[in-house]
């Protein structure tokens, strides 16, 4: 069975949000069109506690997008975003949520960031997404959402490592950095992922 995994289509990642991805809101009509083509639709939600260790504001003297070591892992510092129970953490109002069967929250541990919908960045704790997908009989995972070069990329990479066949819906995602996305795309292809457009999804 094939599953559609919607990554972090939240207010803080679209124009006007705290960590906006250029054109992030433009994927939503396409994502809504895609959902009926799948038996299973699952979403992830960035869900940080206030004062999360990945926030630049948690490190006096540091600025967003600087690099630090956070408890033994390299960490990009971000503007405060997707703070639990704030409007920025909510799914975009234009996203059709009626077919979303389950939501997996990530980034809840203040000491470690979590780009992937499957694991935190140190692979120290699983979200339960792998077991959920396997329990529902999914063997193929199609990904859409934000951002192409971070959370969608790392989710796709972990899905491959967990043994799923992975399909990256290129026009249903947007990147923070064009160069970063090209590197991510090349890496996914090298590891056996399929890159396709929404029109190719049957």
């Amino acid at each position: 069975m094939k599953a559609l995994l919607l990554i972090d289509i939240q207010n803080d990642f679209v124009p006007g949000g705290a960590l906006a991805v250029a054109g992030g809101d433009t994927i939503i009509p396409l994502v809504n069109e895609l959902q009926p083509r799948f038996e299973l639709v699952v979403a992830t939600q960035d869900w940080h506690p206030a004062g999360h260790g990945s926030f630049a504001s948690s490190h006096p003297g540091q600025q967003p997008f600087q690099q630090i070591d956070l408890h033994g892992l390299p960490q990009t510092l971000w503007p405060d975003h997707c703070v639990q129970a704030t409007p920025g953490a909510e799914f975009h109002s234009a996203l059709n949520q009626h077919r979303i069967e389950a939501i997996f929250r990530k980034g809840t541990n203040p000491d470690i960031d979590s780009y992937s919908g499957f694991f935190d960045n140190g692979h120290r704790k699983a979200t339960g997404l792998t077991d959920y997908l396997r329990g529902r009989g999914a063997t193929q995972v199609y990904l859409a959402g934000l951002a192409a070069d971070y959370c969608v990329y790392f989710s796709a990479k972990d899905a491959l490592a967990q043994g799923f066949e992975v399909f990256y819906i290129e026009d249903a995602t947007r990147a923070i950095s064009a160069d970063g996305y090209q590197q991510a795309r090349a890496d996914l292809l090298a590891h056996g992922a399929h890159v396709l457009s929404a029109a190719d999804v049957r």
Side-chain angles (χ1 to χ4, degrees):
M1 184 177 74
K2 61 183 185 180
L4 177 63
L5 185 53
L6 305 179
I7 305 295
D8 300 358
I9 305 177
Q10 295 167 255
N11 290 329
D12 271 343
F13 294 131
V14 300
L19 187 51
V21 180
D25 53 342
T26 64
I27 69 168
I28 295 173
L30 188 56
V31 167
N32 289 341
E33 286 179 30
L34 282 165
Q35 291 188 53
R37 303 180 204 174
F38 291 83
E39 293 178 61
L40 177 62
V41 181
V42 176
T44 67
Q45 187 176 24
D46 227 20
W47 195 251
H48 295 304
H52 194 274
S54 68
F55 295 167
S57 63
S58 299
H59 304 273
Q62 301 282 0
Q63 298 298 316
F65 309 109
Q66 288 184 316
Q67 302 286 324
I68 66 164
D69 179 284
L70 183 64
H71 305 294
L73 291 172
Q75 176 66 54
T76 299
L77 293 178
W78 304 106
D80 291 22
H81 66 280
C82 296
V83 176
Q84 296 174 4
T86 65
E90 293 174 3
F91 290 118
H92 193 284
S93 61
L95 176 68
N96 182 355
Q97 299 180 45
H98 294 85
R99 300 198 75 255
I100 296 174
E101 191 169 297
I103 296 166
F104 289 82
R105 288 174 168 168
K106 59 192 183 68
T108 57
N109 182 337
D111 295 324
I112 190 167
D113 211 355
S114 186
Y115 298 150
S116 168
F118 291 87
F119 296 95
D120 62 53
N121 287 2
H123 283 75
R124 296 168 184 171
K125 185 179 178 182
T127 64
L129 178 55
T130 298
D131 290 341
Y132 185 85
L133 292 172
R134 287 180 179 155
R136 292 285 282 107
T139 56
Q140 298 179 328
V141 173
Y142 289 70
L143 295 103
L146 303 169
D149 45 343
Y150 280 93
C151 296
V152 187
Y153 163 57
F154 283 98
S155 296
K157 198 168 181 177
D158 278 345
L160 286 166
Q162 294 300 298
F164 296 102
E165 188 175 9
V166 171
F167 297 81
Y168 195 105
I169 310 174
E170 194 164 40
D171 52 346
T173 187
R174 294 290 184 274
I176 291 176
S177 158
D179 289 342
Y181 175 61
Q182 289 306 315
Q183 293 175 20
R185 187 182 192 277
D187 187 47
L188 290 175
L189 287 170
H191 285 87
H194 309 278
V195 176
L196 74 171
S197 69
D200 298 322
V201 178
R202 304 297 179 200

